Amino acid sequence: SQQGEEDPQALSIQEGENATMNCSYKTSINNLQWYRQNSGRGLVHLILIRSNEREKHSGRLRVTLDTSKKSSSLLITASRAADTASYFCATGRSQGNLIFGKGTKLSVKP
Amino acid sequence: DADVTQTPRNRITKTGKRIMLECSQTKGHDRMYWYRQDPGLGLRLIYYSFDVKDINKGEISDGYSVSRQAQAKFSLSLESAIPNQTALYFCATSDAMGTSGTDTQYFGPGTRLTVL
């Protein structure tokens, strides 16, 4: 059962542009996390935002969380070719484990 | 050295064979997880363990079993492999407090399993 759904499924941009990915979920959460996966490799944690937070920054990453709309967005500013990867949101509830979405495939063209 | 390692990295086997995938971690985390990833389906949880004596089924445990040999080792077995178990398998760890497994997870590099 998928909790988070990313949108769009695929995104292609030019180097230097900003990339925005969205995640919607269905039930109440404790936190929401974003992970990156380079092709065929393990996932790498990017950022965690708790349910009582609205925005969080980490380097070129900006995450927002709107619990009333049950949605989150990940913004990557000034994208680089090395940002090419799949990005997953994962939601955490008070009981249970992380539930991952299906991912957004980002392609950054040089 | 990588904090979470998986062996083998690639495996091709035949239907009906027993397969074991191994995961080791040097992060000192109590919690370990096994996921499978299929194209277009994201990650799905197979089994998880919050400590050596605690093993729990995840979303898709049928056809799989696990063993937590030590804090640092968590193995996944396919007793009789079938083609629809062809997938990318990931082990992950976390150092969570509390009763849920919702803190940051650290993933191994994955095992690509093909069942013919």
Side-chain angles (χ1 to χ4, degrees), chain A residues 82-96:
Chain A
D83 294 327
T84 293
S86 291
Y87 291 82
F88 294 87
C89 70
T91 52
R93 294 175 288 174
S94 57
Q95 297 292 329

Side-chain angles (χ1 to χ4, degrees), chain A residues 11-16 19 79-85 106-110:
Chain A
L11 179 61
S12 182
I13 60 174
Q14 296 293 130
E15 212 166 24
S79 62
R80 306 165 181 168
D83 294 327
T84 293
L106 174 65
S107 175
V108 181
K109 300 185 187 305

Side-chain angles (χ1 to χ4, degrees), chain B residues 7-97:
Chain B
T7 55
R9 294 294 312 279
N10 289 282
R11 181 72 185 268
I12 299 174
T13 191
K14 295 182 178 180
T15 296
K17 295 290 187 182
R18 184 178 188 273
I19 296 296
M20 179 180 285
L21 309 183
E22 298 186 339
C23 176
S24 294
Q25 52 113 348
T26 58
K27 298 187 77 67
H29 289 168
D30 285 327
R31 299 182 174 186
M32 299 187 73
Y33 309 81
W34 275 104
Y35 293 92
R36 67 176 277 176
Q37 184 178 32
D38 298 275
L41 291 181
L43 272 74
R44 292 181 292 167
L45 184 63
I46 306 172
Y47 270 95
Y48 61 100
S49 170
F50 280 5
D51 65 42
V52 175
K53 297 180 181 178
D54 177 73
I55 303 287
N56 302 281
K57 293 182 178 180
E59 181 187 352
I60 53 163
S61 60
D62 286 350
Y64 301 94
S65 62
V66 290
S67 173
R68 184 80 184 267
Q69 299 95 324
Q71 186 205 37
K73 295 184 182 297
F74 193 34
S75 300
L76 176 72
S77 293
L78 288 67
E79 296 301 325
S80 179
I82 55 177
N84 78 0
Q85 291 178 313
T86 293
L88 194 51
Y89 289 85
F90 289 104
C91 173
T93 74
S94 71
D95 186 21
M97 296 170 65

Side-chain angles (χ1 to χ4, degrees), chain A residues 2 4 35 43 88-90 98-102, chain B residues 35 43 105 107:
Chain A
Q2 230 76 31
Y35 288 79
L43 278 71
F88 294 87
C89 70
L98 287 181
I99 299 178
F100 287 83
K102 297 179 182 179
Chain B
Y35 293 92
L43 272 74
Q105 294 190 9
F107 284 79

